[in-house]
Amino acid sequence: MSRDRGIRLQNALAKYLTRWWPSAESAGSGRNGTDILGTPGVVWECKTAREFRPLEWCRQARKHTVYFAAGNPVEWPVTVYFPDSLGEKSAGEAIAMMPLREMVSLLMQAGYGGQQ
């Protein structure tokens, strides 16, 4: 996928997230760490590659995530994938994914489920 498309969609993701995090902004290209700044508690990895590699991408997001000593995240690693058919105007339709253990932990903290 073109570098230009990746940058455009990372900017589109940041713009989309400003509804909930007004300070959200793209970190730019080539920066180590989260792709979106200004979203405390969430590490964003924005992907646009044609080859779908979710495990690799989620591991990359987790690598930039801070955890408590007990293994619970201080930040939530979220990978957002824009397949070829989605552009800047369709950011809300992109695929968001994260490791299941983080998703379950997030849902438990939000009050869903009955046991921990």
Side-chain angles (χ1 to χ4, degrees), residues 47 51-61 79 81:
K47 295 298 184 183
E51 184 182 343
F52 189 60
R53 300 185 314 265
L55 187 57
E56 177 184 326
W57 299 336
C58 286
R59 284 180 179 154
Q60 185 178 1
T79 300
Y81 175 59

Side-chain angles (χ1 to χ4, degrees), residues 33-34 39 41-45 61-62 64-66 75-79:
T34 186
T39 59
V42 185
V43 171
W44 299 96
E45 193 62 43
R62 286 189 76 216
H64 301 299
T65 301
V66 175
E75 303 170 308
W76 298 100
V78 179
T79 300

